[in-house]
Amino acid sequence: MKKNMLNIFISIFLCSFSLSTFASLLISPTRLVLDERSRSANVILMNTSNEIQSYRLDWKELKALPEGGYRELSQQELLSFPILSRMARLSPKQVTLKPGESQTVKVSARKPRNLNDGEYRSHLQFTALPKVEVNASSPSTTSIKLNVLLSYSIPVIFRLGQFQYGNKINNISLKHDKKNNKATINIELQKQGKYSLSGNLFAYWKPLNSSKETRVGILNGFNFHHELDNIVAKVAWENFTLAAGTLRVVYQGTQEFSGTKLSDYSLTITPAMVKSALN
């Protein structure tokens, strides 16, 4: 443990971040949870652009990765993965929105007989459709403007049976980019239940000989999906300063876990560790 703590400052890492955005479409909420008592829910879409926009809604089957993000399920994995889309319904499946206009989409689940207890998930995908435009040189001719089809997806979950969940943070480590004096906090989490979790990850810093704790990083909307036993989350440390003190990470629940502290972990950084990292 001491060796692991001592080495947290030795690695050099250039922090880089990518954001998933879907231009001109506001989606709320960004995660849906259904169960036996609440088998339907609504997603609200709003066109925030100054043009008429059309979107197609369909399902995408994705698997969470331990390092974060998703990949599409293979044909073989589709045979055994607990997919929601086979029993899900959408209404409507396509929307056209004027600037500033909103639309409610209903998502519902029809539970088949003898369905096994567990958690079922598919991702609801919103794809922007290409615009049809009139050719200026020939008003009677229409043409499709060639665009890259932008899409964004949100997880939709259906739970059946006794709700069992839990997790713990096994370790936190720091990757320090000395050149730019930036740091990323790597948080290793382990699942302790059958079901997925959702919340925000907060990082707090308390300098040595100080009683004041300051928030130095946050990762909003962090999902720990049911198919993973372990996952590594990354949180950027804002205004990083290499010094002795205590780094604390808290996984705070949101949505159905609102008001619940899912897990926390503290790491003490000693003056000797700081001196070693600087040498």
Side-chain angles (χ1 to χ4, degrees), residues 61-241:
E61 313 303 347
L62 302 174
K63 181 178 182 179
L65 300 173
E67 64 274 17
Y70 302 91
R71 67 166 174 81
E72 290 193 44
L73 290 169
S74 67
Q75 290 300 314
Q76 187 65 33
E77 289 172 326
L78 286 170
L79 299 176
S80 58
F81 195 88
I83 291 170
L84 171 62
S85 59
R86 298 189 183 107
M87 53 181 165
R89 300 291 185 271
L90 294 175
S91 180
K93 295 183 178 180
Q94 184 170 318
V95 299
T96 297
L97 301 174
K98 297 176 182 178
E101 188 176 19
S102 63
Q103 170 76 54
T104 297
V105 176
K106 183 178 180 180
V107 183
S108 58
R110 296 181 180 177
K111 182 176 75 71
R113 289 185 179 181
N114 303 319
L115 183 67
N116 292 329
D117 289 355
E119 183 169 290
Y120 298 80
R121 188 186 80 246
S122 292
H123 290 247
L124 179 55
Q125 180 172 257
F126 308 86
T127 302
L129 300 179
K131 301 178 180 66
V132 178
E133 296 186 343
V134 177
N135 191 322
S137 60
S138 178
S140 62
T141 303
T142 60
S143 60
I144 296 178
K145 182 179 180 180
L146 295 178
N147 289 335
V148 176
L149 292 184
L150 299 176
S151 65
Y152 184 79
S153 63
I154 65 171
V156 182
I157 294 165
F158 177 69
R159 294 188 179 123
L160 183 64
Q162 186 178 1
F163 187 26
Q164 300 174 347
Y165 69 90
N167 84 107
K168 68 175 182 177
I169 300 174
N170 284 330
N171 188 40
I172 56 177
S173 59
L174 200 64
K175 298 293 184 180
H176 180 213
D177 171 16
K178 293 183 179 180
K179 182 178 179 180
N180 297 301
N181 195 37
K182 292 184 177 181
T184 298
I185 306 163
N186 291 339
I187 307 162
E188 300 174 20
L189 298 101
Q190 179 182 353
K191 186 179 65 178
Q192 294 183 315
K194 293 172 56 179
Y195 296 95
S196 61
L197 302 166
S198 184
N200 301 325
L201 281 165
F202 297 96
Y204 299 95
W205 173 249
K206 186 171 69 172
L208 187 67
N209 300 323
S210 173
S211 59
K212 184 179 180 180
E213 189 177 60
T214 304
R215 196 179 79 187
V216 294
I218 181 172
L219 178 60
N220 288 316
F222 175 71
N223 296 319
F224 193 171
H225 287 301
H226 71 85
E227 66 266 32
L228 295 176
D229 292 323
N230 299 279
I231 192 170
V232 177
K234 299 179 185 296
V235 177
W237 187 325
E238 303 165 3
N239 303 316
F240 175 71
T241 300

Side-chain angles (χ1 to χ4, degrees), residues 7 25 53-55 60 69 84 133 148 191 204 216-217 249 277:
N7 288 336
L25 181 64
Q53 302 279 354
S54 294
Y55 303 93
K60 197 174 184 68
L84 171 62
E133 296 186 343
V148 176
K191 186 179 65 178
Y204 299 95
V216 294
V249 172

